[in-house]
Amino acid sequence: KQEVTQIPAALSVPEGENLVLNCSFTDSAIYNLQWFRQDPGKGLTSLLLIQSSQREQTSGRLNASLDKSSGRSTLYIAASQPGDSATYLCAVSPGSARQLTFGSGTQLTVLP
Amino acid sequence: DAGITQSPRYKITETGRQVTLMCHQTWSHSYMFWYRQDLGHGLRLIYYSAAADITDKGEVPDGYVVSRSKTENFPLTLESATRSQTSVYFCASSGRVSEKLFFGSGTQLSVL
């Protein structure tokens, strides 16, 4: 059974800092990996989706990388802002709708 | 506005009552999902649907019923609510399996 781990569970950084969030998974037979953002009391918003054949995806100040062989993905946030404060979750898919597996998330706080 | 909407936003009910949570999407996405989010368990799949009239169980289906007579609607019914079903419920949709998931804002359900 796929297990997805996100460490640390919480992270606090000063505004302007570059930061990296980590996601690890136990089964490398994945189809793709998604990073989501969840604001308090809200649903999840998909930030980036990386196909298994890709190494990274970029959107604005966000860059996600994927290393299938080591079972790891990172989400890099450049020049962090207070508005980036949220919980970030990763999810891996083996290509089956039933088996999308989510991590527990990293709660990020960016201090002004 | 286009998107995925859930109703009600908040619901309080009593043990043993039947409750239906509504989900509506305007993208004509084929796939729709119901998740519950609980502290300590993260996001868990209850049911999903690959198309109208096609539904299948997820990780935690017991006590829940779904239907999908139209592509755009995917209601979730708790046949006889129990306190363990107190949770935040999220509906999600995607165009194809393993594409980006789009989430609704959630329904916070309390069973007393």
Side-chain angles (χ1 to χ4, degrees):
Chain A
K1 181 183 175 184
Q2 178 76 272
E3 292 182 5
V4 180
T5 304
Q6 293 186 249
I7 296 173
L11 179 65
S12 184
V13 300
E15 181 177 5
E17 191 163 297
N18 301 324
L19 61 99
V20 173
L21 304 180
N22 298 297
C23 171
S24 61
F25 46 95
T26 54
D27 186 349
S28 62
I30 67 170
Y31 186 76
N32 64 34
L33 182 146
Q34 290 190 62
W35 280 95
F36 294 88
R37 167 186 174 136
Q38 185 174 26
D39 292 286
K42 300 286 180 64
L44 282 69
T45 300
S46 182
L47 299 173
L48 291 164
L49 184 150
I50 312 176
Q51 302 293 348
S52 62
S53 58
Q54 298 174 318
R55 296 285 293 185
E56 64 179 60
Q57 279 286 327
T58 299
S59 176
R61 294 184 293 109
L62 305 179
N63 176 277
S65 67
L66 174 64
D67 184 342
K68 270 183 54 176
S69 60
S70 67
R72 291 182 182 179
S73 176
T74 62
L75 179 66
Y76 174 84
I77 302 177
S80 59
Q81 303 169 358
D84 294 329
S85 297
T87 297
Y88 291 81
L89 298 94
C90 66
V92 298
S93 172
S96 161
R98 188 176 187 278
Q99 295 174 320
L100 183 67
T101 304
F102 287 83
S104 297
T106 294
Q107 185 175 347
L108 173 67
T109 302
V110 181
L111 303 169
Chain B
D1 286 344
I4 182 165
T5 55
Q6 293 184 237
S7 62
R9 185 73 177 89
Y10 303 94
K11 177 72 176 178
I12 299 174
T13 191
E14 295 177 341
T15 305
R17 299 230 177 188
Q18 183 179 81
V19 177
T20 296
L21 309 183
M22 305 301 293
C23 179
H24 176 79
Q25 53 104 352
T26 60
W27 293 302
S28 298
H29 280 168
S30 295
Y31 285 85
M32 295 189 75
F33 306 82
W34 275 106
Y35 288 92
R36 60 179 289 175
Q37 187 175 38
D38 305 285
L39 280 174
H41 291 282
L43 277 153
R44 292 180 291 176
L45 181 64
I46 304 170
Y47 269 96
Y48 73 97
S49 169
D53 296 322
I54 300 174
T55 62
D56 204 353
K57 296 177 181 179
E59 181 183 356
V60 289
D62 293 344
Y64 303 95
V65 175
V66 294
S67 62
R68 194 162 176 212
S69 57
K70 293 184 178 181
T71 300
E72 61 266 30
N73 296 323
F74 191 39
L76 176 74
T77 298
L78 287 67
E79 295 182 293
S80 178
T82 65
R83 289 181 182 166
S84 65
Q85 292 178 310
T86 292
S87 185
V88 180
Y89 291 84
F90 288 104
C91 180
S93 72
S94 66
R96 296 180 183 178
V97 65
S98 298
E99 283 191 348
K100 275 194 175 185
L101 267 182
F102 295 87
F103 280 80
S105 298
T107 294
Q108 188 169 321
L109 176 67
S110 296
V111 182
L112 305 179

